[in-house]
């Protein structure tokens, strides 16, 4: 069968590869789930892998099949599998366990091993192929009423985990009632995070560079949040106008912004870093001022990556609640479908060149 692959380490190496079709028996002990892929979302991580900044092939292979944001339909399940049946819609988690304590308790998203295994990203093939198989443990059912948003399951899991991390860590304060949140970045992570924070009742500001970006601003406002262009109102100025935020979720992909956020966080606040920055940018920062205000203000910084099945379920719950709270808004994120993996050049062009491409995803079914 066909798959969309790259040669890690070789820039712009995306190509269609021919790989063996997966079989249920590839997974031992009757725990296999065979899935027909319907849609696969792509994001900046895929672009960085194709730019040879990130990612690694499985040991012994010279190529890596891309794709870590999958939506599919179950075709066949092993005798031990009860939570999905043939015909069910599903998604699949990305990280696979290593050997640390966290991996052994199902928390491979917080492995303490330097080497991590992620389908479509690091050392394991991804989902951008006609079918895939995996252990039932990693297959998450997508409710039929969310099929149209199923391709957002993985990004939603990342947002749900980031927010959960902040609330869990803030239990250090005994009570935490955040009022104002800044979300930096208006890509899929920024928008879905803003939606989830609105569902929790926070006053949410989404900060991104572009003034009047059209659709992104419309989505932000439809979620009941406010869009702020940092070209017009820099983050420090916004904090002066509306007050310092109790929570900041940083999702720009830009480490400069990540550090800027440290200058405006409120006392007792939490700053969540989600950007995977594969470059080597250097930055001068007001380190005394930041250190001083963070110590005297009891502030918290937490880095967060990936999500386990619990975060996928949380993300799907949030998507469902958003559908009845902000009907029809979230699907507007799905701006750029590309038909078939043979159109990989278009996928990469949209990811790297088209500023209007909010969400690019590959359709694997013929319409
Ligand atoms: C993915 C995460 C992954 C991270 C680091 C992100 O694009 O959504 O699942 O853990 O990249 O590789
Ligand atoms: Zn991703």
């Amino acid at each position: 069968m066909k798959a969309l692959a790259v040669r890690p380490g070789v820039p712009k190496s995306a190509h269609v590869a021919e790989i063996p079709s997966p079989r249920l028996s590839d997974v031992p002990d009757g725990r296999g789930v065979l899935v027909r892929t319907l849609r696969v979302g792509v994001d900046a991580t895929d672009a960085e892998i194709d730019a040879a900044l990130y990612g690694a092939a499985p040991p012994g292979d010279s190529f890596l099949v891309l794709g870590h944001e999958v939506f599919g339909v179950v075709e066949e399940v092993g005798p031990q599998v009860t939570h999905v049946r043939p015909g069910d819609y599903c998604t699949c988690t990305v990280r696979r366990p290593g050997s640390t304590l966290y991996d052994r308790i199902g928390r491979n998203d917080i492995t303490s091993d330097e080497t991590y295994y992620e389908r479509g990203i690091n050392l394991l093939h991804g989902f951008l192929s006609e079918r895939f198989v995996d252990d039932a443990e990693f297959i998450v059912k997508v409710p039929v009423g969310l099929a149209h948003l199923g391709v957002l399951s993985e990004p939603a899991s990342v947002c749900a985990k980031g927010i959960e991390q902040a609330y869990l860590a803030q239990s250090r304060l005994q009570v935490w009632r955040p009022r104002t949140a800044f979300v930096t970045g208006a890509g899929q992570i920024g928008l879905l995070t803003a939606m989830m924070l609105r569902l929790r009742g926070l006053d949410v500001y989404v900060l991104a560079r572009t003034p009047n970006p059209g659709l992104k601003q419309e989505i932000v406002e439809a979620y009941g949040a406010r869009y702020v262009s940092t070209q017009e109102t820099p983050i420090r100025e916004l904090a002066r106008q509306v007050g310092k935020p109790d929570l900041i979720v940083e999702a720009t992909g830009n480490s400069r912004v990540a550090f800027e956020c440290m200058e405006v966080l409120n006392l007792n606040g939490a700053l969540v870093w989600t950007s995977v920055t594969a470059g080597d940018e250097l930055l001068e920062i007001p380190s005394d001022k930041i250190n001083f205000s963070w110590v005297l203000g009891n502030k918290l910084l937490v880095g967060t990556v990936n999500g386990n099945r619990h975060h996928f379920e949380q993300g799907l719950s949030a998507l469902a609640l958003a559908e009845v709270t902000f009907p029809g808004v979230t699907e507007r994120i799905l701006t750029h479908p590309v038909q078939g993996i043979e159109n990989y050049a278009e996928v990469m062009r949209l990811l790297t060149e088209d500023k209007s491409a909010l969400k690019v995803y590959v359709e694997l079914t013929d319409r």
Side-chain angles (χ1 to χ4, degrees):
M1 66 172 184
K2 292 193 182 357
L4 173 42
V6 296
R7 277 178 283 280
V10 184
K12 294 191 192 290
S13 61
H15 62 278
V16 176
E18 189 62 36
I19 61 169
S21 293
R23 281 171 319 195
L24 204 57
S25 55
D26 295 348
V27 177
D29 306 327
R31 300 185 42 80
V33 178
L34 182 69
V35 180
R36 184 160 59 84
T37 313
L38 297 174
R39 286 178 167 182
V40 178
V42 289
D43 70 356
T45 298
D46 301 287
E48 287 189 341
I49 296 171
D50 190 45
L53 294 171
Y54 196 62
D61 279 346
S62 59
F63 65 97
L64 170 73
V65 176
L66 284 179
H68 63 276
E69 303 177 1
V70 71
F71 172 63
V73 59
V74 175
E75 273 195 343
E76 223 184 315
V77 300
Q80 298 304 319
V81 182
T82 55
H83 76 298
V84 285
R85 298 185 173 155
D88 282 347
Y89 291 120
C90 69
T91 182
C92 190
T93 67
V94 179
R95 231 178 235 200
R96 295 295 165 268
S99 56
T100 76
L101 176 60
Y102 298 105
D103 298 287
R104 278 185 270 131
I105 60 164
R107 289 301 307 274
N108 15 301
D109 62 307
I110 51 168
T111 186
S112 50
D113 209 334
E114 292 284 346
T115 309
Y116 56 89
Y117 299 85
E118 291 182 342
R119 290 200 66 166
I121 301 176
N122 214 37
L123 302 168
L124 296 171
H125 289 309
F127 305 116
L128 254 168
S129 55
E130 292 161 30
R131 285 183 174 72
F132 67 90
V133 70
D134 214 327
D135 192 292
E137 166 74 14
F138 308 117
I139 302 288
V140 182
K141 183 171 167 169
V142 173
V144 65
L146 281 183
H148 61 305
L149 301 179
V151 73
L152 292 173
S153 303
E154 197 275 342
S157 75
V158 169
C159 305
K161 176 181 171 188
I163 294 169
E164 183 196 54
Q165 293 294 291
Y167 276 81
L168 285 174
Q170 288 295 73
S171 68
R172 74 194 170 110
L173 301 170
Q174 288 174 276
V175 283
W176 189 50
R177 301 217 177 100
R179 283 174 42 93
T180 308
F182 286 6
V183 176
T184 55
Q188 59 173 353
I189 299 297
L191 294 177
L192 293 173
T193 299
M195 173 270 277
M196 291 179 195
L197 294 174
R198 285 296 301 143
L199 290 176
R200 286 177 180 257
L202 277 80
D203 200 10
V204 179
Y205 295 82
V206 176
L207 292 81
R209 254 181 317 220
T210 322
N212 310 312
L215 179 65
K216 287 181 181 179
Q217 179 162 4
E218 287 169 26
I219 294 171
V220 166
E221 288 170 0
Y223 284 144
R226 267 165 277 190
Y227 180 88
V228 178
S229 157
T230 51
Q231 273 174 25
E232 292 171 355
T233 313
I235 189 165
R236 287 181 206 82
E237 179 54 34
L238 182 67
R240 268 193 292 276
Q241 287 177 13
V242 304
K244 291 181 174 172
D246 306 303
L247 171 63
I248 307 181
V249 180
E250 202 296 309
T252 57
N254 181 334
S255 58
R256 191 173 283 268
V257 179
F259 281 89
E260 258 173 32
C261 290
M262 300 188 83
E263 297 176 45
V264 300
L265 187 68
N266 201 4
L267 283 84
N268 289 350
L271 167 57
V272 182
W273 277 359
T274 75
S275 293
V276 178
T277 50
D280 49 16
E281 164 116 16
L282 297 179
L283 181 68
E284 239 174 69
I285 55 166
S287 52
D288 273 348
K289 288 213 164 58
I290 291 176
N291 184 73
F292 183 80
S293 70
W294 274 63
V295 169
L296 294 189
N298 293 294
K299 302 182 190 186
L300 173 94
L301 171 63
V302 56
T304 176
V305 71
N306 201 253
N308 68 12
R309 70 169 304 123
H310 157 77
H311 304 113
F312 274 71
E313 284 159 3
Q314 277 187 345
L316 285 163
S317 295
L319 288 171
L321 185 56
E323 276 302 89
V324 291
T325 311
F326 316 108
V329 177
T330 306
E331 63 201 62
R332 301 187 66 196
I333 294 175
L334 299 174
T335 52
H336 284 69
V338 175
Q339 201 58 240
I341 45 188
E342 40 313 327
N343 283 319
Y344 61 87
E346 175 65 357
V347 171
M348 292 304 165
R349 188 192 70 77
L350 287 169
L351 273 181
T352 52
E353 290 169 28
D354 191 334
K355 288 241 174 341
S356 74
L358 179 46
K359 184 70 217 166
V360 184
Y361 57 100
V362 184
E363 299 266 20
L364 284 104
T365 42
D366 303 320
R367 287 270 153 114

